[in-house]
């Protein structure tokens, strides 16, 4: 018996890898810390099963992922103390349901634009970035405590 492979569908990156440093994993979703030097605390909430859109999920599952986004946001707010949190679910480049939860500061490279826009500044205060990076162990702990 042979297995059919649809060669027209590219492999899904988030079906194959965690998508960052795995902090939380449940049967339905995972929360990862993104390795972004300019945005310490940037997390993704990723649905484990392949789905492209929120409406691909049952109402119960939509609620589960949004609760996870809110838990992640609250942990970031409590630990990182950003001026703003950006939430985004784009999927244009990786069509697998995931949410970006991004702490934003008025001194970051892109503020007030999205982090995917052109940079507004040429440099960020290194001391401020280092202070934010120093909070990552506490963020990991806060995330785990909200899910387990």
């Amino acid at each position: 018996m042979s297995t059919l492979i649809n060669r027209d569908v590219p492999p899904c990156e988030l079906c194959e890898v965690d998508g960052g440093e795995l902090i939380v994993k449940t049967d339905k979703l995972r929360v990862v810390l993104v390795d972004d030097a300019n945005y310490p605390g940037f997390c993704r909430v990723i649905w484990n099963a392949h789905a492209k859109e929120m409406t691909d999920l049952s109402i119960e599952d939509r609620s589960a992922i949004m609760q996870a986004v809110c838990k992640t946001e609250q942990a970031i707010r409590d630990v990182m103390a950003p001026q703003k949190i950006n939430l985004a679910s784009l999927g244009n480049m990786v069509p697998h349901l995931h949410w970006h939860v991004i702490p934003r500061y008025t001194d970051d490279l892109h503020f007030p634009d999205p982090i995917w826009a052109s940079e507004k500044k040429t440099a960020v205060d290194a001391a401020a970035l280092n202070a934010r990076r120093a909070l990552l162990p506490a963020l990991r702990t806060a995330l785990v405590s909200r899910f387990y």
Side-chain angles (χ1 to χ4, degrees):
M1 182 162 103
S2 66
T3 302
L4 296 177
I5 298 172
N6 185 346
R7 299 200 189 283
D8 296 329
V9 178
C12 176
E13 175 183 334
L14 292 179
C15 284
E16 296 176 5
V17 298
D18 285 331
E21 177 190 342
L22 185 62
I23 305 296
V24 172
K25 186 166 186 174
T26 70
D27 60 332
K28 294 187 178 205
L29 57 86
R30 61 195 182 268
V31 178
V32 301
L33 188 59
V34 176
D35 183 17
D36 188 317
N38 291 313
Y39 293 93
F42 178 168
C43 292
R44 284 191 194 104
V45 178
I46 304 166
W47 195 249
N48 289 333
H50 187 78
K52 285 173 48 175
E53 309 296 348
M54 286 290 289
T55 52
D56 290 340
L57 304 182
S58 68
I59 291 172
E60 178 183 295
D61 287 344
R62 288 180 218 164
S63 179
I65 195 169
M66 292 314 300
Q67 287 177 32
V69 168
C70 290
K71 288 177 183 180
T72 302
E73 176 183 302
Q74 191 64 61
I76 294 170
R77 289 182 69 197
D78 290 349
V79 174
M80 306 298 293
Q83 275 93 28
K84 183 70 179 97
I85 294 281
N86 285 177
L87 299 176
S89 180
L90 306 171
N92 296 336
M93 298 297 293
V94 181
H96 181 118
L97 185 57
H98 63 285
W99 284 84
H100 301 270
V101 187
I102 310 163
R104 299 298 307 276
Y105 303 88
T106 55
D107 66 351
D108 74 42
L109 288 176
H110 297 89
F111 198 87
D113 291 342
I115 67 167
W116 299 284
S118 297
E119 292 180 353
K120 294 284 188 183
K121 300 171 185 73
T122 56
V124 171
D125 178 6
L129 269 178
N130 287 335
R132 291 174 193 146
R133 287 185 196 116
L135 297 172
L136 293 179
L139 179 59
R140 289 177 184 95
T141 300
L143 285 165
V144 167
S145 72
R146 281 170 174 74
F147 285 88
Y148 302 115

